[in-house]
Amino acid sequence: MVSKPLVSIVSAGLSKFGRLDGMYCRELFVDAAKEAYDRCPNLNPIKDIEALFVGHMGESYEHQGHTGPTLADWAGLLPKPAVRLESACASSGAALRTGILAILSGMHKVVMVGGVEKMTHRTTAEVTEFLAMASDMPFEQWHGITFPGLYALMATAHMHEYGTTEEQMARVAVKNHHNGTLNPKAHMQKEITVEKAMASKVIAWPLKLYDCSLITDGASCLILTHPDLAKKFTDAPVHVIGSGQASDAIGIYEREELTTLKAARLAGQEAYKMAGVEPKDLDVAEVHDCFTIAEIIAYEDLGFCSSGKGGNLIDEGTTELGGKLPVNPSGGLKSKGHPVGATGTAQAYEIYLQLTGQAEKRQVEGAEIGLSHNVGGSGATANVHIYRRA
Amino acid sequence: MAAKCNECGTVLLPPKPMCTKCLSTNLKWIELEGAGKLLSYTVIYIAPEQFQSITPYTVGIIELKNGLRLPGMIRDVDPKEIRVGMNLKIDFEPSTSSQWPAWPRYFFRPF
């Protein structure tokens, strides 16, 4: 029995993702906001939007903090309250959840949630250092363990315990790169092969270049309202019917297991229960493939298969476009790109397009129920949202 | 060193000022054994600036007998020789940094 909606998405916007020289967070966010405004002519943004919650991970990139009011100003939303949320790579998933709470509380009728990150003007070494700030300083960063290093530790453990292979991880990259060629806003627009992925340079063994998501510039946003008000703004809203979030120790060495993200499992269970749906009911999902092993672990954590069987799902083609449960039709973080603060609501944007039949060449036919899975850091934060076509 | 709760017996690594199971602040220091089994490892090729001079380097997580885990660098062994499950001992070296954070560094090596 599918539950009643928590909130409705009445519009959504996404900037181009990629290396966007000369565009900084504020310009990127305007691109996303303008698309959302233009999609929804019945909405008067200046009058109707009552608050902004925006995910943004790092002030180091632009030496600019206090992102909330800055983006509210550039998006034409002053003097409405605006808050930045930081939960590493799950920042805008957390902003979405905060927006849901704001609507459910009754304090606001219409809010904008979104996220943004500008990364490509920094060197790879700088980005590696900034991203590592979302891991444990005294025991992980201190020993030179990078973000790819943390997921590589999970990958080695998964390979050892379940026999997952480097080829299976490469196949995740091949799938998501293919999907990216069907998404004009994706950062990468090129097919790759398993051989090419396997031969790419090692970043943190067993993870190679093509196992890693991209350093990307981009912004995303959604406009949320109470389900009873949605029809005032659009004939085709998408309802959010489940929201789950959980936390775990920041250091992976403090967690119960290396082969699963407990916070993601708990967030998924909460969201499924709230939504009244099961994994078999899903038509499409966007999961947090910051590294290819993360997508394999996500299949297991979200109940798409049992523990240790994530590699089989990719081998069998279940999660390809045309498969039983297409995962990351947008290209995912791997090919669409991963502007960290923007990723959570960019996943929701893709699900919004899919459930309203606007995903063009990558459309999952007849998709009615979708899921997004957004992970912060190495899994100390995870949030899962479930959506239904109105 | 780790912290042990005098109320409920929970061992905290890293040591924390309050027990996260029973919220007691009645804790004592205990010494940990100096060796463990390797749970997982990786070889880092792309590193932040302060580690670039030593790439590629190996890091891993070891599990001590009581189930506690520690991450750290693995030295004095060819990455090709490293296996999950191998025994490693913990060695210490003084901090080389005079700036914050200046806590000492430990690393793992084969017996």
Side-chain angles (χ1 to χ4, degrees), chain B residues 16-36:
Chain B
K16 292 167 183 160
M18 181 178 77
C19 176
T20 51
K21 289 284 179 288
C22 76
L23 310 185
S24 167
T25 51
N26 179 11
L27 305 162
K28 66 180 173 193
W29 288 104
I30 60 163
E31 200 163 325
L32 296 170
E33 62 194 305

Side-chain angles (χ1 to χ4, degrees), chain A residues 142 144 153 156 203 205 254, chain B residues 40-43 45 57 101 105:
Chain A
W142 187 247
L153 289 166
T156 305
I203 304 295
W205 182 90
E254 286 193 81
Chain B
S40 189
Y41 69 99
T42 173
V43 188
Y45 285 76
Y57 55 92
R105 208 189 285 271

